[in-house]
Structure formats: structure tokens, C-alpha cells
């Protein structure tokens, strides 16, 4: 599903090209908001409509008129604009002629606050997705009062118009202060900020409504941002043909683990084996296989380095790759950053750049990769640049992305889409940026946001499971000649759905990473059901 941060350009084309008047768009928008109120609140409830200085406020005026027409007698409209224009002004003038309590907050702030305190429901029509500055002054005081009112029972039901006021439409960050809504009614196309934290937490249940904008104008918009729907992910799922065999679904080589972190290697390998890969081989220091039990279906390849991987293991892995029997490689979980491990990663990546199969780079392999830009560690063979290629998938969390980009960690977290795209461009690879909301930048120019997952997945080993799922998808897609970038988006979706199933059984408080792997069958069932739906 396409996400558009700001519909201003689409609105202009709707008015100029499609010939739909701005008045009609505002009337439709306000009507759709009023319909959401009808569905949630009875006419005997006390309501407050907060209307800001622009078109978002105009939508609120229309909503108030529609509510009045349906018998909502206890309404107060609080408006903050000093000089309304065009359609917003016209709708304000219509309201002034009706027996509705109209409060100019600039002149009667105390009365406005009293009405907020008394409200059973509040419609937030202060600012829309076009807001590009921190909210201060009068509107900030009103938002603070709304949020404080929600702390006490019975708290009002809050509906946000288009996007909660104070949430950046692109990044989801708060612009100073932001409304905490139970429901958001957004117009024509959803905004990325509704699915990125903290915006996601402020938005509540999101409903996308039609206000008369022609679908072809939405389709033509140049926004590269997409929300991964279950239906879309299902279309990427590699088919299972009746006459297939294990080699039809790829052979994955996992290079992972160390004496100190054997579990990471096991978690990613078992997740891969549980995600449909035909075969999975785990190449790890020999002690890994002595320390942690491993499911019997996984092929073991003990390496010459006993405790952690170094230069002694490189010939064995190069020999394995030269056999041509692997359809994908996963490198990184639990490797560590020992003196000999870092150059091993560099040398193996140089070999993998020449190989024609997908490569998933995770955890300590990412940290080793980030050191390539440091002159102290940079070998001559990498001085040609950082380009890896579209067959590579990097899976950093925020801290690892900071190191890959040499940015401040806060800069990465404040704009996940920008950070994922920057890392993708720097390394010329697909990038899965792991966070509370995972974002994906692909080499075909698109940005994807995953709506799945829950706080229970913030646990040790969850990232190892994700890398195993993505790598298994990459092996299957490569075996069936499908694009590598789809493995990233599909893997993230399955990981999130499995996490949701695990949380439903164990609660987010008691989840472990292995629970995610155990619930992968449920994730596949959800995607298959999405196809039938």
C-alpha cells in the first residue's frame, strides 16, 4: 500500500486536472470524520471539535456541522485561527449561523479549557500532515490539556483528523507536542508517520477514507514509501510445487557463532530451517556444536578455528562456496570482533561480492563492515569503495546503522526512512533497519514499512531469528529466480507475524527469541489465509 507524507500536490492535481472543487474535498473529508464519530459516540455525548488555523480546521468545521445536523446538541467548537481563508472561512461562517457553542481560544482560553475537561469525545482538527514546525503557544496548551485529560477516568475518546496534530507525516516524530488519539481518520492515502514511532503510538486505530480523490492520482504520486500488507507479502511467498524437491527451495550456508555466542548461530540456523529452506548448513567454530543442541535437520560444518572464526577457517569456507551448491549465504550472528575475525569478514565479503548468490550480512559482520571505512583497518582490496550490490541484504539495528553511516545514534532513530535509504545508497545493498517499526530500503528505490511486531520481540536473539528467516527466503527466491529484495520484505513480515502469535500465547512479557521460530507456522498460515481472503 502506497504511503504519501503530504497530499498537497495530489490535492492540487485533483482540483486542477480532475476538476473536483476544493469545497467538495473539504466537505467530503469533514463528512467522513463525522461518520467516524457517529459510529463511536451517541448524540447525547458532550463533544469538542478543536479546529486549527488551516484546512485541517476547515475539515473540523464541516464535521461539527454534520454532527449538529444529526442531533449532537452538546457540541463546542474551539478554533484557534486568526484569519481563515477560502473553504475554511466559508465553513466557519456557516457554523456561526447555527446554535453551536463557538469559542475563539485566543480570546477565551479559560472557557476552551473548561470544555475540554467536560468532553466525552474530542475531535482533533488542529494541524494536518503538512505541519513542518514545532507546535507552540495556544495550540500547544490545548494539546497538553487534551493529553492530561486522558489520564483521568472517564477519559474522552479522541479522534485525529488526517494525522494526530504534532506528528510529522514522514518520520512519525513529535513536533514539540502531539495529540494522543484513539482513532485517526486519514484521507485518500495513509501517511508514513502513522506507522513510525512515536507517531504510531499517538495514532491509535488508523482508518483510510475516500474523499473523492481519483485513485489514478494516488497511483501516479512519486512517493516511494510503501506499507507491507499481508496480501502483498503473500504474493512474494515462493510457491511450493507438487513435483518439487529439497533443492527446489535452496541451500543456505550460515557462517556464524563463536565460543562466547554459540546461541546466535543456532537461533539463525534453526529459524532458516523453519522458514522453508530446502537445506541449511551451519559453518561455525567446532565448540559451537559442543555447547548448544542443534535441530537434527541442519547440516553441521565444524570449522578449523575452535573458539572463534579467523583466517584458518577461510579456505574451508571458500572451498564450500566454490562447490556452487549454495543458493544464499548468511554471515555474522555471534561472530564477535576478535582481531582475526574482522579481516576474515572482509576477505569473505570480497569473495562473496564475486559470487552470484544473495548474501545476508548481520550483527558482527556489519560491525566489521563498518570498520572498512577506518584507515586503521581498511585493506587495499576495499579501497575501491563500499558498493556491495543488489544481491546483498544488510540487517542493522539502530546502533549498527549508526556505525555503518558514521552518524550520531539519535540522528538514525529520529528518521528511520532517511537512515535506511542513506545506508542503502552508501553500501549499494538492500537494508533492513530494525527498530520498534522496521523499515526497509531496497535497491529498486522503494522504502517499506512493516506494520507487524510487538514489544515482546525486544529480546536477545530476536535479530538472529530475523536474519535466518530473511536468508531462508533469499535462498528460496534465488532458487526460483525471484528478486532478492523481496526476501527482506517477506522475511520481516513473517518475523513480525510469528512474534505476534508468540505474544498471544506467552504475552510480550515472557517471550523468547526461540518462541518466534516456534510460531513461524502460524505466520505462514496468516499469509496463506490473506491470499484466500
Amino acid at each position: 500500500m502506497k504511503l504519501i507524507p503530504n497530499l498537497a500536490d495530489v490535492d492540487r492535481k485533483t482540483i486542477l486536472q480532475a476538476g473536483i472543487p476544493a469545497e467538495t474535498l473539504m466537505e467530503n473529508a469533514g463528512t467522513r470524520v463525522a461518520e467516524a464519530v457517529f459510529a463511536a459516540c451517541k448524540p447525547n455525548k458532550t463533544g469538542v471539535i478543536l479546529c486549527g488555523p488551516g484546512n485541517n480546521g476547515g475539515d473540523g468545521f464541516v464535521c461539527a456541522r454534520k454532527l449538529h445536523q444529526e442531533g449532537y446538541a452538546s457540541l463546542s467548537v474551539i478554533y484557534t485561527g486568526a484569519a481563515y481563508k477560502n473553504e475554511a472561512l466559508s465553513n466557519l461562517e456557516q457554523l456561526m449561523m447555527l446554535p453551536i457553542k463557538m469559542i475563539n481560544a485566543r480570546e477565551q482560553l479559560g472557557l476552551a479549557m473548561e470544555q475540554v475537561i467536560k468532553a466525552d469525545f474530542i475531535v482533533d482538527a488542529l494541524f494536518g500532515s503538512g505541519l513542518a514546525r514545532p507546535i507552540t503557544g495556544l495550540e500547544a496548551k490545548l494539546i497538553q490539556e487534551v493529553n492530561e485529560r486522558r489520564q483521568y477516568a472517564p477519559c474522552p475518546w479522541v479522534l485525529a483528523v488526517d494525522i494526530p496534530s504534532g506528528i510529522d507525516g514522514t518520520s512519525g516524530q513529535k513536533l514539540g507536542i502531539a495529540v494522543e488519539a484513539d482513532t485517526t481518520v486519514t484521507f485518500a492515502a495513509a501517511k508514513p508517520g502513522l506507522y513510525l514511532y512515536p507517531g504510531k503510538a499517538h495514532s491509535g486505530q488508523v482508518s483510510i477514507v475516500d474523499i473523492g480523490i481519483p485513485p489514478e492520482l494516488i497511483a501516479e504520486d512519486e512517493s516511494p514509501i510503501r506499507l507491507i500488507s499481508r496480501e502483498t507479502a503473500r504474493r512474494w511467498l515462493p510457491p511450493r510445487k507438487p513435483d518439487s524437491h529439497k533443492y527446489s527451495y535452496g541451500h543456505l550456508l550460515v557462517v556464524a557463532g563463536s565460543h562466547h555466542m554459540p546461541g546466535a548461530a543456532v537461533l539463525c540456523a534453526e529459524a532458516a530451517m523453519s522458514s522453508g529452506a530446502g537445506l541449511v548448513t551451519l559453518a561455525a567454530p567446532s565448540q559451537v556444536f559442543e555447547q548448544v543442541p542443534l535441530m537434527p535437520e541442519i547440516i553441521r560444518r565444524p570449522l578449523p578455528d575452535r573458539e572463534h572464526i579467523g583466517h584458518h577457517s577461510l579456505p574451508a569456507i571458500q572451498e564450500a562456496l566454490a562447490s556452487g551448491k549454495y543458493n544464499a549465504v548468511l554471515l555474522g550472528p555471534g561472530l564477535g570482533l576478535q582481531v582475526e575475525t574482522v579481516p576474515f569478514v572482509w576477505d569473505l565479503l570480497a569473495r562473496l561480492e564475486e559470487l552470484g548468490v544473495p548474501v545476508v550480512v548481520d550483527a558482527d559482520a556489519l560491525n566489521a563492515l563498518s570498520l572498512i571505512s577506518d584507515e586503521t583497518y581498511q585493506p587495499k582490496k576495499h579501497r575501491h569503495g563500499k558498493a556491495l550490490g543488489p544481491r546483498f541484504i544488510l540487517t542493522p539495528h539502530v546502533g549498527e546503522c549508526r556505525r555503518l553511516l558514521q552518524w550520531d545514534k539519535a540522528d538514525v532513530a529520529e528518521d528511520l526512512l532517511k537512515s535506511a535509504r542513506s545506508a542503502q545508497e552508501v553500501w549499494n545493498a538492500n537494508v533492513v533497519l530494525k527498530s520498534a517499526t522496521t523499515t526497509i530500503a531496497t535497491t529498486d528505490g522503494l522504502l517499506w514499512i512493516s506494520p507487524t511486531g510487538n514489544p515482546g520481540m525486544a529480546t536477545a536473539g530476536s535479530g538472529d531469528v530475523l536474519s535466518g528467516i530473511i536468508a531462508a527466503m533469499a535462498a528460496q527466491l534465488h532458487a526460483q529466480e525471484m528478486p532478492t529484495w523481496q526476501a527482506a520484505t517477506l522475511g520481516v513480515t513473517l518475523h513480525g507475524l510469528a512474534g505476534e502469535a508468540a505474544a498471544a500465547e506467552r504475552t510480550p512479557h515472557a517471550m523468547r527469541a526461540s518462541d518466534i521460530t516456534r510460531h513461524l507456522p502460524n505466520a505462514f498460515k496468516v499469509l496463506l489465509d490473506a491470499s484466500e481472503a
Side-chain angles (χ1 to χ4, degrees), residues 230 451-454 457 495-505 511 516 519:
R230 295 178 182 182
T452 61
N454 63 82
M457 300 173 74
H495 184 251
L497 291 174
E500 290 175 358
E505 179 188 281
M511 281 176 58
I516 301 173
H519 282 85

Side-chain angles (χ1 to χ4, degrees), residues 27-41 49 59-70 72 121 123 157 159 161 185 187:
E27 185 75 12
N28 291 345
T31 301
R32 298 291 89 78
V33 174
E35 289 170 351
V37 177
F38 299 158
C41 301
I49 318 295
D59 298 335
F61 295 148
V62 174
C63 172
R65 172 162 46 83
K66 295 294 181 178
L67 292 176
H68 173 75
Q69 291 170 354
E70 292 295 323
Y72 287 74
F121 69 87
V123 175
W157 178 76
L159 181 151
V161 176
V185 174
F187 305 133

Side-chain angles (χ1 to χ4, degrees), residues 77-91:
V77 176
I78 299 170
Y79 60 100
T80 66
Y84 287 94
K85 300 177 181 178
N86 304 323
E87 301 79 36
L89 175 59
S90 174
N91 282 292

Side-chain angles (χ1 to χ4, degrees), residues 116-133:
V116 170
I117 292 172
K118 296 176 182 178
D120 295 313
F121 69 87
I122 298 170
V123 175
D124 160 37
L126 289 171
F127 296 102
S129 57
L131 184 69
R133 59 171 177 81

Side-chain angles (χ1 to χ4, degrees), residues 7 64 101 114 184 186 203 245 248 324 327 359 403 417 422 461 471 496:
L7 283 178
K101 186 178 293 183
E114 289 177 11
T184 298
T186 195
S203 302
H245 47 76
S248 303
N327 301 96
V359 180
R403 290 187 282 276
L417 291 173
S422 296

Side-chain angles (χ1 to χ4, degrees), residues 331 335-336 340-350 361 364-366 368-369 382:
L331 173 64
L335 287 181
E340 60 269 39
T341 301
V342 173
F344 160 82
V345 171
W346 293 342
D347 290 339
L348 182 55
L349 283 172
V361 185
D364 288 323
L366 291 171
L369 190 64
H382 285 286

